Amino acid sequence: MEILNFITNFIRIDIFLSFGFYSIIYFILRTFLKDKVFILDFDKSATELIIYLGFVWLVLWLIGTWIYYLGLENKIEQIKYYELLTGKYAYAIWIQPIFWFLLTQVYRIKFIKKYLIFRIIISLFFIVTFERFVILITLFHRDYLPSNWTLDNKYGIDTNNLILGLLGKILVIIMIISLYHFGIKKIKTLFS
């Protein structure tokens, strides 16, 4: 179960979220490169990968939900979990994963793929869950704001680790897209 959770979180955070950072690099390169054929073909593979990984992520999430249900200790816990998934407030469980799946499928629309701002906004939606959204809204409400706002290490934000983490995520997404892109090309040349 832990491996399944790791894989689904890796796909959602390290791939879907990092796709927004990849998109920034892609649009910068597309602006400055003269030969755009390779970069356009590479980006086509990148968006295909995100679309297919959306299906993979949803299937893995469903399998994880089923495994969790089967792993419950007794019938009472299984009944409660089943009621949670199918009861009056079941939408609270299902809406977030379905929303994330639909976000990956939005890349099928050419208009969305074409503009950087849409790609970044979509990838940022993978950070903000509905639960985090409510927390952020409450956090920034004027009644809850502190009188002095500073962002330094006493709040646990280390900019060096943040930058290194982002660079690592960008390298991982570019490596995964490269493996997909060149792997698909190799498979197509073998079968043609």
Side-chain angles (χ1 to χ4, degrees), residues 8-191:
T8 54
N9 284 334
F10 177 78
I11 291 173
R12 182 180 63 86
I13 296 169
D14 291 336
I15 296 179
F16 294 159
L17 173 63
S18 300
F19 186 72
F21 298 114
Y22 155 79
S23 296
I24 294 170
I25 294 170
Y26 161 70
F27 279 95
I28 291 171
L29 289 175
R30 191 179 81 176
T31 304
F32 293 112
L33 288 178
K34 292 187 192 255
D35 184 22
K36 296 179 185 192
V37 174
F38 173 75
I39 194 86
L40 292 172
D41 191 37
F42 189 80
D43 186 61
K44 181 181 176 192
S45 295
T47 53
E48 282 177 6
L49 178 66
I50 296 298
I51 291 167
Y52 297 148
L53 280 177
F55 284 106
V56 170
W57 181 86
L58 183 65
V59 168
L60 289 176
W61 183 82
L62 290 171
I63 290 171
T65 304
W66 180 251
I67 289 173
Y68 181 78
Y69 172 76
L70 292 177
L72 291 173
E73 298 278 326
N74 55 37
K75 280 288 187 193
I76 295 171
E77 289 179 355
Q78 286 182 340
I79 291 170
K80 285 183 181 179
Y81 191 68
Y82 179 78
E83 288 173 359
L84 181 70
L85 292 176
T86 59
K88 182 178 179 181
Y89 299 107
Y91 67 89
I93 302 293
W94 292 97
I95 195 166
Q96 188 71 61
I98 291 171
F99 178 69
W100 283 335
F101 169 72
L102 292 176
L103 280 177
T104 61
Q105 302 310 303
V106 167
Y107 289 115
R108 293 179 183 271
I109 303 170
K110 291 184 183 193
F111 180 77
I112 301 289
K113 281 195 290 190
K114 188 177 177 183
Y115 294 104
L116 174 64
I117 189 71
F118 293 127
R119 289 168 77 154
I120 292 173
I121 289 171
I122 290 170
S123 64
L124 288 177
F125 277 125
F126 287 103
I127 297 175
V128 182
T129 62
F130 293 128
E131 180 180 325
R132 287 182 186 164
F133 179 74
V134 171
I135 292 169
L136 282 172
I137 295 300
T138 306
L139 177 72
F140 289 120
H141 191 273
R142 67 181 171 84
D143 292 340
Y144 298 104
L145 284 176
S147 60
N148 58 349
W149 261 58
T150 59
L151 289 177
D152 57 9
N153 284 340
K154 84 176 176 185
Y155 293 109
I157 297 174
D158 187 8
T159 54
N160 292 335
N161 287 343
L162 182 66
I163 292 170
L164 287 175
L166 288 176
L167 287 175
K169 287 185 186 310
I170 291 170
L171 289 175
V172 165
I173 187 74
I174 289 175
M175 183 179 69
I176 290 171
I177 293 170
S178 297
L179 287 172
Y180 176 79
H181 176 73
F182 294 115
I184 291 296
K185 279 192 168 230
K186 187 71 172 176
I187 290 171
K188 285 180 180 177
T189 56
L190 287 175
F191 289 112

